[in-house]
Amino acid sequence: MSTQNLLTGACTSSAPTPPEADGGDRTPLADAADAAEELYRLRDTFFPRDPGEKAAALRARTDAALALLDALPSEQKKSPQLRGVYEFLRGKILDVFPDYHKEAEDHLSKAVKLNPSLVDAWLCLGNCIWKKGDLSAAKNCFSLALGKGPDKKILCQISMLERSMAQGSADQALLVEESIKHAKEAIMLDIRDGNSWYNLGNAYLTSFFVGGAWDHTKLHHSVKAYQNAEKDQTMNLNPDLYYNCATADKYLENYERALRGFEVAALKDPGLGADIEVQKIISLLDKLENAMKGQLRTKKLASFVSSLSGVKLKSSHKKATIATLSEGLNKAVAVLGKVVLFIRHENVAPLYYLICDFKRSYFILSVYGLHNDAIKEGDRVVLFEPYYRILDASCKDKHYQFKSIRVDFPEQILINERAPAPHHVARASIHAHNRS
């Protein structure tokens, strides 16, 4: 799964407030700092349908902000401290675009040399270097900034960078756990900060995929963090928050909530592709509904499920049917079924099948952690410790409802009385990028 918005690695630091002139009048340097803040606010909140419109607006604001810096009297750049602020602002303004900008790095590097205590300059320099792919150097910048004292913004950036470093790494799981740890540290510094909660939600969502896309506890933690982020009114303008929360809900098969989330994300940022996700879910629900309708005739069904009677369980689990299950996890029982249909759809996970149990009752089986060639139509399946629920969703005046069993990991299933072959076990992956 390629989810660019799991990482938002662009610099979001606030510029240090330049000193005011004698008498309390604002200086041109202070005006330039305000212009830089407005430039980044535009970047983070303006999502027109045409991406070119945003790029043009950013260029115009960038030129205006640089003009303010160009107009600075020379005496306001004499001291190393003021010169450091000037270089920082110039580098930050130039770095507002998503691609790496060498001139921005040069100015930010000068800023930290002139004024090593300028934390925001270290933060922006780290993000600039991150864009050119030097992740270890970027982390060094963030670590130097964090050395000046605890800071939630820096901890969030380190957390995001660690998720990026995890891609393709032998220490992938460890790096993602470090990402979660730093995200939690940021929250402890300000429990009301929505961006820190949003970052923690992203860390847990990434952990879900890195762990093989079966541990639903990570998804529940992710959704909870996103819900806490939404309590911060400043996060209402972040379309990625709604998109990512909807993604977590989708994998939890909370399809109605996922639909609402993707619809909100599509309204806030038409270029995010959330409307495509809405159509994917509706298409899937239609396919599940059609599968439940296309059941076998009674006589053919009897022959189809007859082989289930001979299945012997080599465990202490008690045989059960879909009708005898309770909502939620059903321990110490096993459901025997026959695969009637593999239901193809566009999502990474889960796999969906129409199953008939030995009492000839139909249900939908959702399977995580296996490749789509592991289970074939006509196979016998034994489902241990089944998680039972009724999938229930409404969309555009249409109501969907199905009985469902979820299999979270390969150890929960036998296929034709055998455990899944090692090459059939899937490990879903997620690729996150530095998103400006």
Side-chain angles (χ1 to χ4, degrees):
M1 174 185 174
S2 179
T3 306
Q4 194 176 53
N5 44 11
L6 272 182
L7 283 170
T8 51
C11 176
T12 55
S13 63
S14 300
T17 304
E20 293 184 342
D22 293 339
D25 293 334
R26 290 185 58 77
T27 66
L29 199 57
D31 290 338
D34 285 347
E37 290 299 297
E38 286 301 314
L39 177 64
Y40 274 74
R41 191 172 294 113
L42 176 72
R43 184 202 67 179
D44 295 336
T45 62
F46 180 49
F47 301 101
R49 190 166 294 277
D50 178 8
E53 185 181 347
K54 179 171 183 174
L58 286 175
R59 280 194 296 270
R61 291 280 186 94
T62 297
D63 291 343
L66 291 174
L68 289 172
L69 286 176
D70 290 338
L72 280 174
S74 57
E75 62 268 16
Q76 290 198 18
K77 296 184 284 185
K78 283 184 178 178
S79 73
Q81 288 79 12
L82 286 176
R83 181 73 187 184
V85 173
Y86 167 85
E87 295 290 348
F88 160 62
L89 288 174
R90 197 166 196 93
K92 178 178 180 177
I93 291 166
L94 289 169
D95 197 47
V96 73
F97 298 99
D99 295 328
Y100 167 71
H101 196 303
K102 186 178 185 306
E103 189 180 349
E105 182 185 352
D106 291 343
H107 285 291
L108 292 167
S109 296
K110 289 178 184 176
V112 296
K113 287 176 183 175
L114 289 163
N115 189 352
S117 64
L118 206 53
V119 171
D120 291 320
W122 282 111
L123 183 57
C124 275
L125 178 59
N127 281 303
C128 182
I129 292 172
W130 182 353
K131 290 179 184 179
K132 73 174 181 179
D134 193 343
L135 305 190
S136 59
K139 188 168 186 178
N140 185 53
C141 289
F142 295 150
S143 298
L144 286 168
L146 195 61
K148 313 298 180 185
D151 187 295
K152 64 186 180 184
K153 293 178 297 185
I154 300 167
L155 286 165
C156 283
Q157 293 302 99
I158 291 174
S159 173
M160 289 185 277
L161 180 62
E162 285 166 338
R163 296 199 294 278
S164 188
M165 295 174 77
Q167 296 175 42
S169 168
D171 298 324
Q172 188 178 54
L174 180 62
L175 283 164
V176 174
E177 286 306 308
E178 284 293 304
S179 171
I180 292 173
K181 180 175 79 73
H182 284 122
K184 288 180 176 178
E185 288 175 4
I187 289 169
M188 294 304 294
L189 294 175
D190 183 358
I191 200 167
R192 296 185 183 89
D193 181 54
N195 186 64
S196 296
W197 281 109
Y198 166 65
N199 178 56
L200 179 62
N202 288 347
Y204 274 124
L205 186 56
T206 303
S207 182
F208 167 72
F209 287 102
V210 166
W214 63 266
D215 187 352
H216 284 67
T217 302
K218 299 289 177 63
L219 288 179
H220 287 295
H221 287 331
S222 179
V223 169
K224 182 64 175 177
Y226 291 138
Q227 289 171 341
N228 283 329
E230 285 185 53
K231 295 175 184 177
D232 184 345
Q233 294 298 313
T234 63
M235 295 299 293
N236 289 343
L237 295 174
N238 182 353
D240 290 342
L241 168 60
Y242 297 93
Y243 187 102
N244 291 357
C245 188
T247 299
D249 275 322
K250 179 181 72 173
Y251 284 100
L252 284 168
E253 299 174 76
N254 294 328
Y255 288 121
E256 189 163 333
R257 285 206 321 226
L259 283 166
R260 288 200 301 267
F262 283 130
E263 286 168 351
V264 171
L267 287 173
K268 292 180 181 294
D269 182 0
L272 203 52
D275 53 338
I276 297 173
E277 293 299 321
V278 169
Q279 292 307 313
K280 282 183 181 180
I281 292 176
I282 293 173
S283 173
L284 170 61
L285 292 172
D286 285 338
K287 287 179 178 181
L288 296 179
E289 182 180 62
N290 290 336
M292 289 294 288
K293 288 178 179 177
Q295 299 174 1
L296 299 173
R297 295 179 181 274
T298 305
K299 190 173 181 179
K300 186 176 180 181
L301 178 60
S303 172
F304 192 73
V305 301
S306 61
S307 62
L308 294 175
S309 59
V311 175
K312 305 293 184 184
L313 294 182
K314 298 178 181 178
S315 68
S316 59
H317 290 78
K318 180 182 177 182
K319 288 184 181 180
T321 65
I322 192 74
T324 62
L325 298 181
S326 302
E327 188 87 10
L329 186 64
N330 289 259
K331 293 187 175 182
V333 302
V335 172
L336 279 61
K338 191 88 165 178
V339 181
V340 180
L341 179 68
F342 173 49
I343 304 165
R344 299 182 183 277
H345 63 101
E346 298 179 74
N347 294 326
V348 175
L351 303 173
Y352 279 109
Y353 301 88
L354 177 65
I355 305 291
C356 184
D357 67 19
F358 64 81
K359 290 292 187 179
R360 307 179 194 177
S361 294
Y362 288 92
F363 62 91
I364 297 295
L365 171 65
S366 54
V367 179
Y368 293 83
L370 291 180
H371 290 296
N372 59 14
D373 57 349
I375 304 172
K376 300 178 178 62
E377 293 173 6
D379 282 349
R380 297 181 301 276
V381 291
V382 179
L383 312 172
F384 297 106
E385 315 278 326
Y387 187 93
Y388 171 71
R389 63 182 294 200
I390 296 176
L391 289 179
D392 198 310
S394 295
C395 180
K396 297 180 180 177
D397 300 324
K398 191 167 183 180
H399 185 232
Y400 303 90
Q401 194 173 75
F402 322 102
K403 291 181 178 180
S404 167
I405 287 178
R406 189 183 77 211
V407 169
D408 290 329
F409 47 95
E411 291 77 10
Q412 272 185 282
I413 190 169
L414 295 179
I415 305 162
N416 297 322
E417 292 81 67
R418 294 181 180 178
H423 66 276
H424 283 147
V425 176
R427 288 291 176 258
S429 62
I430 190 161
H431 302 284
H433 305 280
N434 184 355
R435 177 187 171 91
S436 295

